């Protein structure tokens, strides 16, 4: 703006004839400049790899470069057509109209994201810049729409966000897992959390039994699935799973194997498309398998992405279930071993003589057991009792002893070791005793406490008059003495600690003399076990002990007379 003074002393403002020292264009000159700028803009856009459109004020397309047409797979000519009519009218939305108006009013539009479905290329995410072509002193009425295809980036961002969410969700679910009241409840929790985290409709957690069978403990699957909690998977399928599990985790497209028979056909009918497997390890061994599968083709494509989650859940399962399951497997293996011993009769009855110390005449034989695998008898019976099959083993050994007894000299009684629990199996024990005419001495072992002596006396009485009772370890303390009194024993076996070296130890002699007096007052007879020398035998007889048993009189031998 220039200031000019008039001849009357007043000043007026006049428009400057220059801009930054250059002459200002007049209207005629601007009318010539606009087409030139339009042409120059087209030439620039044509050379760009970035998709661009040139629009007039009435939203008509004046030019679209090749990159724009290729990005949206447009084959028809677009020049001269409205922006809102091209590309399947994908740009005909209020958001596009509003932003065009905004830029033409002088506002900026940069990096605006437009997500639309296009008829030829599907869903696209476009980052759009709108630039109005204008100068300081002119308007061309042209707007450039430049865009970038951000579809892949948006998918990647969405995928990253989804995975971040899944990782947080997985961490939350894993953190929630704690050992429940029972292993079965714990497995149900693990299966439920894994199904929620993975989106798979087939999830199972199972353990391998002692025989190698795969037994599902918790299952979440369609009703048609043959995999059921508590039901062992058939042999061939179990062998396949165990063999594969020993080599590590794996993913497979599920298919029925002919050797799996009806089980494989039923699984195929369930529609399982893809499955992933993660072995579960306890502190020292493979204990089970965690399975994740899907009947959905869409989910099958993502099962590989869920594989790390499966491995994490398997690790948690090993920590929560491993120690307990290993103990269970060890107990089951031990139980199976003892059951096999009973079934196969993998033991032998041997007999050690009991003599009168005065005459050295054999009056009876204690039946003992020797196992074919060389295991210690005391440990074998204790293990069987702990596993709940102690009575089964005792009865089997007693039956074997009575069956072998006819080969022993006539007139001698047979001593059988018996726990209180075995005595309460009155019918079976009475049936065995009925097979022999010999007197029977039942030596009550101390492997289990007697809870009800009255009940035990009734059971003993039901076995008949030929049965007498012996009590072990007399002199081993108050509990032993109380046991003798409660059972009203016919025979009292002196503790080995009193017998060893009794011929040279006055203190032991005094204790044995006291036990002899106790026996006489209770109508019982003393039996010293573990006698190994003539001096011990003589000293015991002099102290009032009537019977003896030990290597001095004979080692345990089979009834045929051979060494045990």
């Amino acid at each position: 703006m220039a200031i000019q003074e008039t001849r009357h002393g007043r000043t007026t403002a006049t428009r400057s004839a220059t801009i930054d020292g250059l002459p200002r264009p007049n209207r005629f000159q601007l009318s010539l400049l606009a087409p030139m700028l339009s042409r120059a803009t087209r030439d620039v856009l044509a050379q760009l790899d970035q998709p661009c459109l040139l629009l007039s004020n009435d939203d008509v397309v004046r030019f679209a470069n090749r990159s724009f047409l290729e990005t949206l797979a447009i084959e028809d000519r677009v020049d001269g057509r409205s922006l809102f009519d091209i590309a399947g009218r994908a740009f005909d939305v209020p958001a596009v109209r509003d932003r065009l108006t905004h830029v033409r009013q002088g506002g900026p539009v940069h990096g605006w994201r437009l997500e639309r479905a296009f008829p030829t290329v599907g869903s696209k995410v476009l980052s759009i810049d709108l630039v109005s072509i204008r100068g300081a002193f002119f308007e061309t009425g042209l707007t450039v729409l430049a865009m970038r295809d951000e579809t892949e980036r948006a998918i990647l961002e969405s995928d990253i966000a989804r995975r971040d969410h899944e990782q947080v969700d997985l961490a939350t679910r894993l953190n929630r897992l704690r050992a429940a009241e029972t292993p079965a409840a714990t497995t149900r929790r693990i299966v439920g959390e894994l199904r929620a985290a993975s989106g798979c409709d087939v999830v199972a957690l199972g353990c391998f039994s002692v025989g190698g069978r795969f037994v599902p403990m918790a299952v979440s699957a369609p009703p048609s699935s043959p995999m059921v909690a508590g039901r062992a998977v058939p042999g061939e399928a179990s062998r396949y799973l165990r063999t594969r599990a020993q080599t590590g985790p794996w993913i497979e497209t599920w298919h029925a194997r002919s050797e799996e028979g009806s089980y494989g056909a039923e699984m195929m009918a369930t529609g399982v498309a893809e499955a992933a497997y993660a072995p579960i390890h306890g502190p020292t061994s493979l204990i089970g398998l965690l399975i994740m599968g899907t009947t959905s083709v869409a989910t099958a494509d993502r099962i590989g992405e869920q594989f790390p989650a499966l491995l994490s859940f398997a690790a948690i399962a090993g920590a929560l279930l491993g120690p307990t399951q290993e103990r269970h497997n060890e107990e089951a293996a031990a139980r199976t071993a003892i059951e096999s011993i009973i079934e196969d009769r993998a033991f032998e009855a041997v007999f050690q003589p009991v003599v009168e110390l005065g005459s050295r005449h054999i009056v009876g034989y204690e039946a003992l057991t020797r196992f074919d695998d060389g295991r210690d008898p005391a440990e074998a019976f204790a293990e069987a009792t702990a596993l709940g099959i102690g009575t089964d083993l005792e009865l089997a050994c007693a039956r074997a002893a009575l069956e072998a007894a006819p080969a022993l000299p006539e007139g001698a009684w047979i001593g059988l070791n018996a726990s209180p629990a075995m005595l309460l199996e009155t019918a079976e024990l009475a049936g065995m005793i009925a097979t022999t005419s010999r007197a029977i001495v039942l030596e009550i072992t101390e492997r289990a406490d007697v809870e009800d002596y009255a009940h035990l006396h009734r059971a003993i009485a039901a076995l008949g008059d030929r049965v007498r009772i012996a009590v072990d370890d007399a002199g081993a303390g108050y509990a032993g003495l109380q046991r003798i009194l409660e059972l009203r024993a016919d025979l009292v076996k002196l503790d080995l600690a009193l017998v060893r070296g009794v011929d040279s130890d006055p203190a032991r002699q005094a204790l044995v003399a006291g036990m002899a007096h106790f026996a006489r007052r209770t109508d019982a007879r003393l039996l010293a076990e573990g006698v190994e020398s003539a001096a011990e035998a003589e000293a015991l007889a002099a102290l009032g002990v009537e019977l003896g048993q030990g290597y001095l009189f004979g080692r345990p031998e089979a009834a045929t007379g051979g060494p045990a």
Side-chain angles (χ1 to χ4, degrees), residues 3 10 37 57 85 158 189 192 219 230 245 249-250 257 279 282 401 420 484:
I3 305 300
R10 286 177 293 187
L37 288 173
N57 268 341
D85 291 333
S158 175
R189 285 185 182 178
V219 177
W250 77 100
R257 285 168 281 274
I484 296 169

Side-chain angles (χ1 to χ4, degrees), residues 202 221-228 231-234 237 254-273 295:
V202 178
S224 59
S225 171
M227 192 178 294
V228 178
R231 182 193 300 168
V233 170
W254 205 92
H255 62 279
R257 285 168 281 274
S258 58
E259 60 271 22
E260 293 177 352
S262 60
Y263 176 82
E266 290 175 26
M267 283 297 292
M268 181 65 78
T270 302
V272 179
T295 59

Side-chain angles (χ1 to χ4, degrees), residues 26 112 117 121 182-183 191 228 284 323 329 395 445 452 473 517 548:
N26 56 35
W112 159 51
V121 293
T182 64
V191 165
V228 178
T284 62
N329 288 347
L395 287 170
T445 59
D452 188 341
D473 292 340
H517 177 71

Side-chain angles (χ1 to χ4, degrees), residues 255-304:
H255 62 279
R257 285 168 281 274
S258 58
E259 60 271 22
E260 293 177 352
S262 60
Y263 176 82
E266 290 175 26
M267 283 297 292
M268 181 65 78
T270 302
V272 179
E274 196 86 3
Y277 305 80
I280 301 173
H281 293 275
T284 62
S285 64
L286 171 70
I287 63 165
L289 196 62
L290 186 58
I291 303 173
M292 176 179 73
T294 180
T295 59
S296 165
V297 175
T299 307
D301 292 339
R302 294 186 57 238
I303 204 164

Side-chain angles (χ1 to χ4, degrees), residues 164-507:
D164 287 345
H165 173 75
E166 289 176 351
Q167 288 297 319
V168 172
D169 180 67
L170 174 62
T172 301
R173 294 182 183 280
L174 291 173
N175 190 54
R176 281 205 298 260
L177 288 176
R178 296 287 188 277
E181 296 75 15
T182 64
T186 301
T187 59
R188 288 194 294 270
R189 285 185 182 178
I190 294 171
V191 165
E193 292 290 357
L194 177 57
R195 172 160 186 165
S198 66
C200 290
D201 56 351
V202 178
V203 179
L205 191 159
C207 293
F208 293 109
S209 68
V210 174
R213 299 288 289 274
F214 179 68
V215 182
M217 297 174 65
V219 177
S220 177
S224 59
S225 171
M227 192 178 294
V228 178
R231 182 193 300 168
V233 170
E236 189 58 40
S238 282
R239 281 190 289 274
Y240 171 77
L241 292 175
R242 186 174 180 83
T243 300
R244 286 297 304 265
Q246 290 171 338
T247 65
W250 77 100
I251 300 175
E252 65 181 13
T253 299
W254 205 92
H255 62 279
R257 285 168 281 274
S258 58
E259 60 271 22
E260 293 177 352
S262 60
Y263 176 82
E266 290 175 26
M267 283 297 292
M268 181 65 78
T270 302
V272 179
E274 196 86 3
Y277 305 80
I280 301 173
H281 293 275
T284 62
S285 64
L286 171 70
I287 63 165
L289 196 62
L290 186 58
I291 303 173
M292 176 179 73
T294 180
T295 59
S296 165
V297 175
T299 307
D301 292 339
R302 294 186 57 238
I303 204 164
E305 297 178 12
Q306 300 298 329
F307 200 47
L310 177 69
L311 298 180
S312 297
F313 274 95
I316 293 293
L320 295 180
L321 301 171
T324 300
Q325 188 61 34
E326 283 195 350
R327 286 194 299 273
H328 172 78
N329 288 347
E330 290 170 0
E331 291 175 0
R335 183 185 181 93
T336 299
I338 292 175
E339 288 174 340
S340 296
I341 288 173
I342 296 172
E343 183 178 353
D344 300 337
R345 199 162 171 170
F347 53 83
E348 182 183 21
V350 294
F351 301 88
Q352 187 173 32
V354 176
V355 304
E356 290 182 340
L357 289 178
S359 65
R360 302 297 174 92
H361 175 67
I362 296 176
V363 296
Y365 290 89
E366 180 181 4
L368 302 169
T369 301
R370 296 294 180 261
F371 291 94
D372 293 354
D373 60 5
R375 67 176 63 201
D376 180 84
E379 292 180 0
F381 283 108
E383 184 176 37
T385 299
L387 294 170
I389 53 176
T391 299
D392 296 337
L393 182 60
E394 287 183 272
L395 287 170
C397 292
R399 184 179 295 108
L402 291 175
E403 290 174 358
L408 296 172
E410 292 290 340
W413 50 258
I414 300 298
L416 301 175
N417 288 287
S419 67
M422 174 180 163
L423 291 175
L424 295 177
E425 296 289 338
T426 309
E428 187 168 356
L429 185 56
M432 288 192 297
I433 292 174
T435 64
T436 180
S437 60
R438 297 174 184 269
I440 301 296
V441 174
L442 296 177
E443 183 178 324
I444 309 299
T445 59
E446 63 273 41
R447 285 193 292 271
D449 293 332
V450 177
E451 296 181 359
D452 188 341
Y453 278 100
H455 187 193
L456 187 62
H457 281 298
R458 289 194 295 272
I460 294 171
L463 295 175
D465 296 337
R466 289 186 295 114
V467 173
R468 290 178 288 168
I469 299 298
V471 176
D472 206 1
D473 292 340
Y478 172 76
L481 294 175
Q482 184 184 31
R483 196 180 190 87
I484 296 169
L485 291 172
E486 292 285 358
L487 288 170
R488 304 166 202 163
D490 300 289
L491 288 177
V492 177
K493 298 186 76 171
L494 283 176
D495 182 56
L496 184 62
L498 294 180
V499 173
R500 186 68 64 242
V502 67
D503 55 304
S504 58
D505 188 339

Side-chain angles (χ1 to χ4, degrees), residues 112-129:
W112 159 51
R113 274 197 169 187
L114 175 67
E115 184 172 356
R116 295 289 290 162
F118 292 86
T120 51
V121 293
S123 181
K124 286 284 185 181
V125 177
L126 304 174
S127 177
I128 296 177
D129 296 327

